[in-house]
Amino acid sequence: KNGSSANRRVIWLDLANRKKLLVVTVATKETGGFSRFLRSAKYFNYTVLGRGETWTGGDYMSAPGGGQKVRLLKAALEKMTSEDQIVLFVDSFDVVFASSPKELLRKFQQAKHKVVFSSESLIWPDRHLEDKHPHVREGNRFLGSGGFIGYLPNVKQMISNWTGGDDDSDQLFFTKIYIDPAKRKALNITLDSKCRLFQNLHGALDEVVLKFENGRVRARNVQYDTLPVIIHGNGPTKLQINYLGNYIPNTWSFEDGCTVCHQNLRSLSESEFPLVVIGIFIQQPTPFVSVFFERLLKLQYPKNRLRLFIYNQEPHHEGQVSSFLQDHGSLYQDFKSVGPEEEMDAPASRDLAFDLCRKDEDCDYFFNLDIDVVLQNENTLKILIEQNLPIIAPMITRSGRLWSNFWGALSADGYYARSEDYVDIVQGRRVGVWNVPYVSSVYLVEAGVLRSDLKQNQLFTSSSLDPDMAFCHNVRSQGIFMFVSNMDTFGRILSTENYRTEHLHNDLWQIFENQQDWQDRYIHENYTRMMTDKLVENPCPDVYWFPIFTDVACNHMVEEMEHFGKWSGGGNVDTRIQGGYENVPTIDIHMNQINFEKEWHKFLLEYIAPVTEKMFPGYYTKAHFELAFVVRYKPDEQPFLRPHHDASTFTINIALNQVGIDYKGGGCRFLRYDCSIQAPRKGWALMHPGRLTHYHEGLPTTAGTRYIAVSFVDP
């Protein structure tokens, strides 16, 4: 799908079983654009012949040039003599065929001229020639040299007087022939003014839309209600032809989905896995960093074929990085880390990481992985390598939002713009591998590209663009395609907004910004299936017992409270509560003392309220509470709690550590029913009515320290 040939080539495309059409194009090397052109030609049964010559035709993409194309065409046609031979000349990197040669020839015959040029609404390169162009009754008035079709004798006569240099303008040469009335008449030249054969996109972006019909995809010109056969992304419309090329010709349709996504794949052999350098970048305080490294360890790829580069400019995460490398660094072929003390900026770090791969002849791929990426699919790296593309990103999104790690289009000033298909791709209604103008956060780069087209060593450095935008700009300027795949579910990206670092376990506060990640980390793995699998137990009348917290959640809650350390004295006088008097005091810390009350209410509403409404049918709660706290029981401090009612409609009591390991004794006894729960399970919640019926006591803790999280809900 990507090559590095340095030759400009004349390519002859012969229509199978229709020998009177000869299609000629010129190509510098085997780029993604040229591969796309050939794929569209093959789809319509063209066969390919060619020969090579080094390109000296100037930079025809941004300035007048391309004269070598005319010289090569002249040489290619020189020995041909058949008068009924029809020649189609088109560019290739930015061209796709949208329909068959049969339709092309039919429309050419209907034009009733010997030579038909593509048309444009904009004049280039000499605006002073505008008045010399003949007026047309309807359609575009100006000639476009990127595509024309004509009979061999007329085409040979038209280019016979070419004497220009290779870097002269072919556009200007053909324009001067066309605006000369005598030459125009002698050669019988006209323009495809209404875009029946050729569609140049420059100056016509608002006129061209995709047309999906009966399993086929075409480009439709809504201005003239035509279906062009050849689509040309001339001038500054390369991104638009890339967008259209995602669909045309039948690359993707609603009926068949992606028809090319399983072509030209790379087969991975267990014995010959490519060597990959993984670049990990930490640029700001980020939640769930320890989980990131846990997922990295689970990546399904031989670790002896992985080298790690970790850039961390955030002191807050130094401990997590060093712990990971100390515990697991030896599993990998090699690793290098750059810490905050080295004061390297973000663009330089990414350029350095690329260079580590570029200069290592054994490196096959570079895998960029920002720390805020939640890579849930353990096969991501294999999947991307198998796609065999120069640059490819797995699509990841932010939970509940349309934000993703790719852009479907760019605005005029090079920033984000939403493409017509962006929402459908993000939401999975269109699934495939998509040519896009921007990727970030997580993507794979083929090392050969770094050593050839991207060999400059400051790809991420720019005075006006952020590093990712600078990188993508440099990639696009080299004509390299970037792709994003949503063929698989890969993961998501974290929100780093409002991430606070003043606590011991800051991830506990992420229930609003990153609820899915908070749930994965802190909610018991059996919670989501406890209703269907009947995991809710009923140890006493109207007392329900169910899994709610992971061990990590319990540990973090206990450690956070001990880190805060301001335990109450266990007396009746308590200035923390309204009225200042506690009838049944405990040694505790309130959630609001650690600024956790909003997060705790969210937890109750999202995870406790649904269970309440299931267990107590007809009762609906908004999980209001006045008191939520963590209680500590010790034999020499407060071993038990005397019988009492709770000031609540119902109470939640979550065991935060394990009986028999962390403490002995403990539990809860409901006096009315003479029913006790004496072996509380860590991470399980007891839910029971608080008033009137469920008079209860805390049984003595005889050894160790017992912790429980208590909430009086709906007081």
Side-chain angles (χ1 to χ4, degrees):
K1 296 184 181 180
N2 183 55
S4 57
S5 168
N7 290 334
R8 187 83 175 178
R9 299 193 297 171
V10 176
I11 305 294
W12 299 351
L13 298 167
D14 287 329
L15 173 61
N17 302 319
R18 196 175 291 274
K19 295 297 185 182
K20 69 177 183 177
L21 177 64
L22 177 70
V23 183
V24 184
T25 189
V26 179
T28 52
K29 55 185 177 181
E30 304 287 341
T31 66
F34 185 62
S35 297
R36 176 181 61 198
F37 171 81
L38 292 182
R39 187 170 64 241
S40 71
K42 182 180 179 182
Y43 182 82
F44 293 112
N45 296 317
Y46 295 98
T47 55
V48 181
L49 306 169
R51 61 186 179 86
E53 181 172 335
T54 302
W55 172 248
T56 57
D59 182 9
Y60 71 94
M61 291 178 67
S62 58
Q68 188 180 7
K69 292 190 293 184
V70 185
R71 178 174 64 80
L72 292 174
L73 176 63
K74 183 178 178 181
L77 302 182
E78 190 171 11
K79 295 181 180 180
M80 297 185 185
T81 58
S82 174
E83 292 194 0
D84 64 349
Q85 179 79 64
I86 296 173
V87 176
L88 170 68
F89 186 83
V90 289
D91 287 343
S92 61
F93 292 162
D94 49 10
V95 168
V96 293
F97 289 97
S99 191
S100 67
K102 181 178 180 180
E103 180 177 335
L104 178 74
L105 290 171
R106 175 173 55 80
K107 289 182 174 180
F108 171 57
Q109 301 291 350
Q110 290 171 348
K112 298 180 180 178
H113 283 72
K114 298 294 185 180
V115 179
V116 178
F117 271 88
S118 69
S119 67
E120 299 189 43
S121 62
L122 305 173
I123 186 170
W124 186 83
D126 188 350
R127 296 179 59 186
H128 297 95
L129 299 178
E130 179 176 350
D131 291 342
K132 296 186 178 182
H133 281 73
H135 289 275
V136 296
R137 192 169 12 179
E138 183 182 13
N140 298 324
R141 182 181 168 197
F142 306 114
L143 176 143
S145 66
F148 61 84
I149 186 172
Y151 284 97
L152 177 65
N154 302 71
V155 173
K156 288 180 69 174
Q157 182 183 347
M158 180 174 64
I159 60 179
S160 62
N161 294 325
W162 170 262
T163 58
D166 281 357
D167 60 351
D168 287 341
S169 172
D170 59 326
Q171 173 86 11
L172 189 59
F173 170 72
F174 289 124
T175 295
K176 287 183 176 179
I177 293 175
Y178 175 67
I179 62 177
D180 184 317
K183 293 180 179 178
R184 185 170 68 247
K185 182 176 180 180
L187 294 169
N188 198 7
I189 299 176
T190 191
L191 300 186
D192 178 32
S193 296
K194 293 165 65 172
C195 305
R196 300 180 74 245
L197 290 86
F198 305 96
Q199 176 66 66
N200 289 312
L201 295 178
H202 188 33
L205 294 179
D206 292 338
E207 300 173 8
V208 180
V209 299
L210 287 169
K211 176 185 172 76
F212 297 91
E213 187 175 62
N214 299 326
R216 291 197 62 189
V217 187
R218 296 287 297 266
R220 176 175 174 242
N221 186 303
V222 296
Q223 179 78 15
Y224 307 117
D225 194 22
T226 55
L227 297 173
V229 177
I230 296 163
I231 316 299
H232 182 201
N234 58 320
T237 63
K238 301 298 180 277
L239 301 186
Q240 286 73 23
I241 190 65
N242 291 348
Y243 165 75
L244 295 174
N246 283 329
Y247 298 92
I248 301 170
N250 286 47
T251 306
W252 189 97
S253 67
F254 286 103
E255 290 81 2
D256 300 322
C258 181
T259 62
V260 300
C261 291
H262 298 290
Q263 296 177 6
N264 301 320
L265 299 181
R266 174 173 183 166
S267 176
L268 282 180
S269 167
E270 290 290 338
S271 59
E272 297 180 1
F273 275 92
L275 180 66
V276 182
V277 172
I278 300 181
I280 297 165
F281 299 91
I282 308 173
Q283 295 178 216
Q284 61 187 339
T286 304
F288 304 107
V289 167
S290 57
V291 182
F292 172 93
F293 285 118
E294 290 170 11
R295 287 198 172 99
L296 182 64
L297 285 169
K298 295 177 182 177
L299 199 62
Q300 293 299 301
Y301 203 88
K303 291 181 174 55
N304 64 352
R305 301 299 292 162
L306 297 175
R307 295 177 183 171
L308 301 183
F309 172 82
I310 302 179
Y311 167 73
N312 174 33
Q313 70 175 19
E314 179 48 57
H316 176 70
H317 294 306
E318 280 190 283
Q320 291 157 310
V321 173
S322 61
S323 294
F324 170 76
L325 291 177
Q326 183 175 341
D327 295 341
H328 307 290
S330 61
L331 298 174
Y332 297 89
Q333 189 182 103
D334 194 12
F335 66 84
K336 175 182 175 60
S337 65
V338 175
E341 71 282 354
E342 299 191 38
E343 297 183 349
M344 180 182 291
D345 65 22
S349 72
R350 294 179 186 271
D351 286 326
L352 172 61
F354 267 19
D355 230 22
L356 291 176
C357 178
R358 184 185 289 119
K359 293 180 178 179
D360 181 354
E361 62 181 16
D362 293 328
C363 179
D364 298 301
Y365 292 94
F366 180 86
F367 187 42
N368 185 95
L369 190 56
D370 288 359
I371 198 69
D372 54 359
V373 171
V374 180
L375 206 59
Q376 293 176 291
N377 191 326
E378 297 175 359
N379 292 305
T380 295
L381 187 52
K382 289 181 183 178
I383 292 169
L384 297 182
I385 291 173
E386 287 170 347
Q387 280 296 320
N388 198 26
L389 291 164
I391 300 175
I392 181 168
M395 188 191 78
I396 56 173
T397 60
R398 186 162 290 164
S399 295
R401 296 173 60 181
L402 289 174
W403 194 98
S404 74
N405 65 323
F406 79 95
W407 296 350
L410 296 182
S411 63
D413 54 0
Y415 288 85
Y416 170 82
R418 180 172 290 182
S419 61
E420 177 273 333
D421 56 0
Y422 177 81
V423 174
D424 277 357
I425 293 173
V426 169
Q427 295 184 342
R429 289 191 291 270
R430 302 186 190 186
V431 175
V433 178
W434 311 94
N435 187 329
V436 296
Y438 171 92
V439 296
S440 67
S441 301
V442 52
Y443 50 86
L444 184 75
V445 183
E446 202 271 320
V449 177
L450 294 178
R451 299 186 187 107
S452 55
D453 297 307
L454 298 179
K455 60 187 176 184
Q456 67 268 39
N457 58 9
Q458 288 192 326
L459 292 171
F460 293 90
T461 302
S462 170
S463 59
S464 58
L465 300 174
D466 68 27
D468 284 334
M469 291 179 63
F471 167 65
C472 293
H473 170 78
N474 286 322
V475 170
R476 294 192 303 270
S477 68
Q478 293 298 317
I480 299 170
F481 289 169
M482 293 172 281
F483 296 87
V484 65
S485 171
N486 66 341
M487 294 281 287
D488 297 86
T489 299
F490 294 103
R492 56 185 176 271
I493 192 160
L494 294 168
S495 170
T496 56
E497 301 168 13
N498 306 315
Y499 184 61
R500 300 179 292 186
T501 59
E502 67 266 26
H503 303 287
L504 178 65
H505 294 296
N506 298 281
D507 295 346
L508 281 169
W509 277 258
Q510 286 295 299
I511 190 171
F512 288 103
E513 280 77 14
N514 295 289
Q515 185 175 345
Q516 185 60 55
D517 299 273
W518 191 94
Q519 177 175 315
D520 291 348
R521 186 66 162 163
Y522 293 130
I523 296 299
H524 198 286
E525 63 180 355
N526 291 335
Y527 172 81
T528 54
R529 60 185 185 87
M530 67 180 175
M531 296 299 183
T532 55
D533 292 1
K534 299 181 180 179
L535 298 179
V536 179
E537 299 182 17
N538 186 204
C540 300
D542 284 332
V543 176
Y544 298 99
W545 201 15
F546 54 91
I548 189 67
F549 273 165
T550 61
D551 278 3
V552 172
C554 296
N555 296 342
H556 283 191
M557 286 294 298
V558 170
E559 291 165 9
E560 194 67 47
M561 292 303 181
E562 289 291 1
H563 178 72
F564 180 72
K566 297 180 182 179
W567 296 93
S568 66
N572 295 109
V573 177
D574 192 341
T575 57
R576 298 172 301 170
I577 63 176
Q578 188 175 4
Y581 184 85
E582 172 58 68
N583 188 42
V584 187
T586 53
I587 293 177
D588 56 47
I589 295 174
H590 290 186
M591 298 298 180
N592 60 12
Q593 289 181 262
I594 61 168
N595 297 316
F596 197 60
E597 67 274 23
K598 290 180 181 178
E599 288 76 10
W600 191 255
H601 179 253
K602 174 78 168 174
F603 158 69
L604 294 175
L605 196 60
E606 294 285 340
Y607 301 100
I608 297 298
V611 184
T612 305
E613 292 166 8
K614 275 284 189 182
M615 297 299 103
F616 298 105
Y619 180 77
Y620 301 97
T621 178
K622 293 184 178 180
H624 294 304
F625 66 90
E626 286 186 6
L627 287 179
F629 47 92
V630 171
V631 179
R632 183 174 72 184
Y633 290 112
K634 285 184 176 182
D636 58 352
E637 191 176 67
Q638 181 184 11
F640 65 91
L641 191 61
R642 65 178 176 82
H644 62 284
H645 284 112
D646 293 335
S648 67
T649 300
F650 68 94
T651 295
I652 297 296
N653 175 337
I654 305 172
L656 297 180
N657 56 349
Q658 187 62 52
V659 65
I661 297 175
D662 302 308
Y663 65 92
K664 294 181 180 178
C668 182
R669 175 171 174 258
F670 295 93
L671 280 69
R672 179 184 180 92
Y673 309 107
D674 191 23
C675 181
S676 299
I677 296 95
Q678 292 185 309
R681 299 168 191 158
K682 183 178 180 179
W684 281 54
L686 277 178
M687 180 171 66
H688 60 82
R691 295 188 181 90
L692 193 60
T693 57
H694 282 65
Y695 193 57
H696 60 284
E697 63 180 333
L699 299 174
T701 298
T702 58
T705 305
R706 178 189 177 209
Y707 298 92
I708 59 172
V710 178
S711 301
F712 296 160
V713 185
D714 294 344

